[in-house]
Amino acid sequence: DVQLQASGGGLAQAGGSLRLSCAASGFTFDDYHIGWFRQAPGKERQGVSFIDDSGRTTYYADVAGGRFTISRDNAKNTVYLQMNSLKPEDTAVYYCNRRRRWTPMYDYWGQGILVTVSS
C-alpha cells in the first residue's frame, strides 16, 4: 500500500521557517524521484521543488526564490523541504509525490499538509 505522508506544517509568521517532512512507505523509496507541490485557495496546483532518486540532483521552481531547500534520507524513507523567509503567498496545502526515472507523471497525491503564513 503506497503512502506518502506529509507533516510539519502549521502556522508561521512572515519571515519565519518551517521544515516539512514526507514519509514514504509501501514501495522501494530509492527507485523514485520525489516532488513537492502546493495548492493555494482558489489557485491551481504548482510544483515547488524536486529531488532525484539518489538525492544528488535537485530542482527549484521560481516561486522558491532561493528560500527553500529539498533533501532526502533514503535510510529513513523520508524527503524534507526546509522553507525559510516565508511569505503570506506561501500559504497553501503542500503535497509530496513520486515518479520513476524517465516517467513524467506523479501518481499518488495523498492529503497534503496545510501551511499558513501570517503577515
Side-chain angles (χ1 to χ4, degrees), residues 5-66:
Q5 180 62 55
S7 62
L11 179 65
Q13 295 185 358
S17 298
L18 288 172
R19 189 175 75 156
L20 305 184
S21 297
C22 177
S25 62
F27 63 97
T28 304
F29 182 66
D30 60 1
D31 282 347
Y32 286 84
H33 300 187
I34 304 295
W36 282 99
F37 303 80
R38 70 187 189 186
Q39 187 166 19
K43 299 181 68 175
E44 297 291 329
R45 185 175 61 227
Q46 63 183 168
V48 177
S49 184
F50 306 90
I51 190 165
D52 77 341
D53 50 3
S54 70
R56 298 186 186 99
T57 301
T58 60
Y59 173 81
Y60 299 94
D62 288 344
V63 296

Side-chain angles (χ1 to χ4, degrees), residues 24-116:
S25 62
F27 63 97
T28 304
F29 182 66
D30 60 1
D31 282 347
Y32 286 84
H33 300 187
I34 304 295
W36 282 99
F37 303 80
R38 70 187 189 186
Q39 187 166 19
K43 299 181 68 175
E44 297 291 329
R45 185 175 61 227
Q46 63 183 168
V48 177
S49 184
F50 306 90
I51 190 165
D52 77 341
D53 50 3
S54 70
R56 298 186 186 99
T57 301
T58 60
Y59 173 81
Y60 299 94
D62 288 344
V63 296
R67 302 173 296 127
F68 298 171
T69 302
I70 191 170
S71 61
R72 69 190 293 162
D73 185 342
N74 284 348
K76 296 182 178 179
N77 286 1
T78 302
V79 169
Y80 305 96
L81 184 68
Q82 178 68 45
M83 303 190 295
N84 300 323
S85 301
L86 286 165
K87 304 175 181 179
E89 305 93 272
D90 296 318
T91 296
V93 175
Y94 284 72
Y95 304 86
C96 56
N97 208 337
R98 66 171 198 170
R99 69 171 178 87
R100 291 291 301 271
R101 187 177 181 182
W102 306 114
T103 302
M105 299 299 296
Y106 289 84
D107 58 356
Y108 285 88
W109 287 111
Q111 297 301 307
I113 187 72
L114 179 63
V115 169
T116 302

